[in-house]
Amino acid sequence: MASYPTNEPAPAYNSDNGVTSEKSHGNENGFDEKRGSVVAMRDEEDMAIGQQNPLSRKLKSRHMQMIAIGGAIGAGLFVGSGSALQSGGPASVVICFIIIGVMMYFTMQALAELGVMYPVNGAFFTYAYRFISPAWGFATGWDYAIQWLTVLPFEITAAGITLDYWPAAERIDNAVWVTVFLVALIIIQVFGIRGYGEVEFVLSIIKIIACSGFIILGIIINCGGVPTDDRGYIGGRYWQNPGAFSGGFAGFCGVFVTAAFAFGGTELTGLAAAEATNPLKSIPMATKQVLWRIAFFYIVLLLLVGLIVPSDNPHLLNASGANTKASPFVLAIKLANIPILPSIFNAVITISVLSVANSCTFASTRTMQALATRGMAPRFLAYVDKHGRPLWCVVIQMAFGLLAYVTDAPGDSSGTFFTWLLALSGIANFFIWGSICVSHIRFRAAWKYHGHTLDELPFRASCGVWGSGIGVTLAVLCLIASFYTAVRDKDVYTFFESWIAGPLILFLYVLWKVWTREWYLLTSLKDIDVMAGMRSNIEELQASAERQRKERAIKNLPMRVLRTLF
């Protein structure tokens, strides 16, 4: 393994032979004097180092919006929120999800600014590599890849478990469902990024319709409008008894961690930047719309769930994984004695789990391919076929999917296996989100150090480095809350189940330091080449962004708000 020295410009892509060269008709600052623009990944291919073929640019704005929604609305919301409600109470759930929503807003704003400037393969891994240090990039990149590699077999198994809700499906061996879902995922991979985007688009629309329908239903149930519900008008009854903060401080911390995990996958918008047709338009739009939509769905949905489902309902004790029988959404419909709808919502949860499995194949394969192009993974993983698919990375991901057949192991051995498999990436999201914010702060510092101004940026994060600072702070608080909940029970098994990913990240970080003998903590600002990898038509994008800023006015504010939400 080898890395490019940080004090030299990243090689530019040579479209003639498909490989890279150290210089491409540019001066020492990375400018092409003939063209008067940045020498970067030419013709907007943004080719990664060492690729034979570019990743396919077929993701449109609608795909990118749904990718983020699809990765963020899943079993964590539909099932995991039940355990959060039980342990912390309804007020804790709403407050914690609002806090994490704020953190994700700042994080995604930072990622959008970086993604528009550098829509490169690997996204946040590449940003951590360039703006923080190669060692930190190696650690977070591999931890993120491992996270999605290990989540896939669990999600495939979980999808089969959700089908056990129906007695007829429960009689079928879960290995049959594992086979069906694996074959479906393989077929999607055959169609490449466009197939992934279209599938995610359709699945996410189904989830959005279901969430919108539940919001209407929840309001009707709370107001006593369901004839079969003998509770009548509910109002804020369950906020008074068993209470808004029924779990105390410890329960609040537990909800904080659950909320953070439920938002996992939102960052996939940034990872998809390298395969978007128009990053300047699609990334900021997806960032604004998706975060507002997710905040709306999460907060409103969970507020309603907390109003119509008591937090001391005994079924919520089993609300984890894919146990849809303990889903607070399914319970809410059952408590109102509404027929048929529980089965429909269980089908939505099954679709949600499959959507996350679909996201697993995208996130892990693109991250591994990006690691390989940086010399941080076996070189054969950098291969991209003529259809824009990272073929060997897909093979490895599908091989991990075969671990789902462990579900047929005798006794509880499969549950133990999946518990420790998932523990390898338990807190990966906190490190990724924090790294995105730190990368943005370091980018801004390097941008200023090299004599550039904010007016040159095509897209600027709404709260600048202050927003990223808040994002880092909240990510650290998530880690502290996770650590507190892990040690609270004074059980070594529980602690390592929650925090084994911490030592893994530290090991990966030290491993790269030892391998490369690079002992510095941060890459020096003077050694950060802010021009390398930049969009080749940056001046055109800057002019377009300036026109958009001038067009903003009070008179078109209502339309801009509608576009943000819808």
Side-chain angles (χ1 to χ4, degrees):
M1 294 185 291
S3 63
Y4 289 95
T6 55
N7 60 349
E8 295 181 11
Y13 175 66
N14 186 330
S15 59
D16 296 328
N17 54 24
V19 297
T20 58
S21 59
E22 291 297 327
K23 295 183 180 180
S24 180
H25 308 291
N27 61 20
E28 60 183 5
N29 294 320
F31 281 93
D32 186 331
E33 296 176 342
K34 293 182 179 180
R35 294 173 57 189
S37 60
V38 177
V39 173
M41 309 299 183
R42 293 196 304 179
D43 300 324
E44 299 187 9
E45 291 289 349
D46 295 306
M47 293 277 289
I49 300 167
Q51 284 180 233
Q52 297 298 314
N53 298 287
L55 290 173
S56 180
R57 283 188 175 275
K58 294 183 179 179
L59 285 179
K60 301 184 183 299
S61 179
R62 63 184 178 89
H63 294 134
M64 295 189 66
Q65 294 172 41
M66 293 305 172
I67 285 171
I69 292 179
I73 298 180
L77 171 65
F78 293 133
V79 181
S81 60
S83 62
L85 178 62
Q86 187 276 328
S87 62
S92 294
V93 171
V94 173
I95 293 172
C96 288
F97 272 82
I98 289 176
I99 293 173
I100 300 301
V102 170
M103 179 183 72
M104 290 309 303
Y105 174 76
F106 290 132
T107 301
M108 293 300 292
Q109 282 286 302
L111 186 57
E113 181 177 308
L114 292 170
V116 171
M117 286 289 289
Y118 311 102
V120 294
N121 188 27
F124 33 80
F125 146 70
T126 305
Y127 304 145
Y129 173 93
R130 289 184 59 181
F131 301 119
I132 302 178
S133 74
W136 189 248
F138 177 79
T140 54
W142 267 114
D143 188 61
Y144 192 73
I146 291 171
Q147 174 192 18
W148 291 105
L149 283 172
T150 54
V151 165
L152 179 63
F154 171 78
E155 294 295 339
I156 293 174
T157 303
I161 294 175
T162 62
L163 298 178
D164 289 345
Y165 181 86
W166 297 286
E170 189 176 12
R171 291 192 291 268
I172 300 175
D173 191 279
N174 203 35
V176 175
W177 299 120
V178 168
T179 303
V180 171
F181 297 144
L182 265 177
V183 171
L185 289 174
I186 291 173
I187 292 174
I188 293 172
Q189 292 303 306
V190 169
F191 290 97
I193 188 64
R194 188 62 181 268
Y196 162 73
E198 292 297 346
V199 169
E200 202 60 37
F201 182 78
V202 173
L203 296 184
S204 294
I205 284 178
I206 294 173
K207 288 188 285 184
I208 290 172
I209 292 174
C211 289
S212 302
F214 186 88
I215 289 174
I216 297 172
L217 177 64
I219 294 173
I220 295 173
I221 292 175
N222 185 258
C223 294
V226 179
T228 55
D229 191 350
D230 55 8
R231 293 174 296 176
Y233 175 75
I234 299 174
R237 182 189 311 170
Y238 298 137
W239 280 57
Q240 299 174 5
N241 183 25
F245 296 95
S246 55
F249 178 73
F252 182 87
C253 289
V255 174
F256 202 60
V257 175
T258 302
F261 281 117
F263 274 96
T266 310
E267 72 286 342
L268 287 174
T269 302
L271 195 64
E275 297 174 76
T277 55
N278 186 355
L280 176 62
K281 178 182 178 181
S282 58
I283 296 175
M285 183 180 294
T287 299
K288 294 177 183 178
Q289 294 180 344
V290 166
L291 263 297
W292 284 114
R293 289 175 183 178
I294 289 177
F296 174 75
F297 285 129
Y298 268 80
I299 295 169
V300 174
L301 277 171
L302 293 175
L303 175 63
L304 288 170
V305 166
L307 287 172
I308 60 181
V309 177
S311 60
D312 60 354
N313 188 299
H315 291 92
L316 295 177
L317 292 171
N318 300 315
S320 61
N323 185 9
T324 53
K325 295 178 182 179
S327 165
F329 293 84
V330 175
L331 283 176
I333 300 172
K334 283 186 173 181
L335 289 174
N337 296 312
I338 302 175
I340 302 176
L341 272 184
S343 291
I344 294 176
F345 213 89
N346 186 77
V348 172
I349 297 175
T350 303
I351 288 173
S352 301
V353 174
L354 289 175
S355 174
V356 175
N358 191 35
S359 296
C360 289
T361 59
F362 173 77
S364 60
T365 55
R366 270 56 183 181
T367 304
M368 285 191 293
Q369 196 274 338
L371 284 161
T373 61
R374 287 285 179 183
M376 293 180 167
R379 189 165 295 275
F380 73 92
L381 293 178
Y383 174 74
V384 177
D385 69 11
K386 63 182 180 180
H387 298 293
R389 297 170 297 198
L391 200 57
W392 288 111
C393 297
V394 172
V395 171
I396 290 176
Q397 177 66 88
M398 290 298 104
F400 265 81
L402 296 175
L403 294 175
Y405 286 107
V406 174
T407 186
D408 270 0
D412 191 43
S413 55
S414 63
T416 303
F417 172 78
F418 282 121
T419 296
W420 286 104
L421 191 66
L422 293 175
L424 291 172
S425 58
I427 52 177
N429 282 329
F430 305 140
F431 285 97
I432 291 296
W433 297 336
S435 297
I436 291 171
C437 293
V438 173
S439 297
H440 178 241
I441 294 171
R442 294 275 297 164
F443 158 71
R444 282 287 189 94
W447 189 252
K448 182 179 179 180
Y449 178 88
H450 288 284
H452 299 283
T453 65
L454 296 182
D455 292 334
E456 299 176 56
L457 300 178
F459 175 81
R460 295 197 292 262
S462 58
C463 296
V465 294
W466 289 102
S468 294
I470 295 173
V472 172
T473 302
L474 290 175
V476 172
L477 289 177
C478 286
L479 286 170
I480 294 173
S482 175
F483 186 83
Y484 171 75
T485 56
V487 302
R488 182 182 59 193
D489 296 330
K490 299 179 180 179
D491 180 49
V492 176
Y493 182 91
T494 302
F495 173 78
F496 280 104
E497 181 182 321
S498 302
W499 257 78
I500 196 174
L504 173 63
I505 292 174
L506 180 61
F507 168 76
L508 291 169
Y509 180 79
V510 173
L511 176 64
W512 186 256
K513 290 287 188 184
V514 173
W515 182 269
T516 61
R517 307 292 179 89
E518 298 173 349
W519 304 111
Y520 56 87
L521 183 62
L522 294 172
T523 301
S524 174
L525 293 180
K526 66 181 179 64
D527 292 333
I528 296 177
D529 186 355
V530 295
M531 311 308 292
M534 190 187 295
R535 299 274 298 182
S536 59
N537 62 338
I538 191 66
E539 293 178 356
E540 178 185 339
L541 301 185
Q542 290 167 350
S544 175
E546 184 61 27
R547 286 195 301 270
Q548 292 177 17
R549 281 192 283 267
K550 289 181 179 179
E551 290 173 359
R552 293 174 183 171
I554 296 297
K555 63 181 181 180
N556 60 17
L557 178 61
M559 183 58 65
R560 287 190 283 119
V561 172
L562 287 174
R563 287 175 179 172
T564 297
L565 291 174
F566 304 104

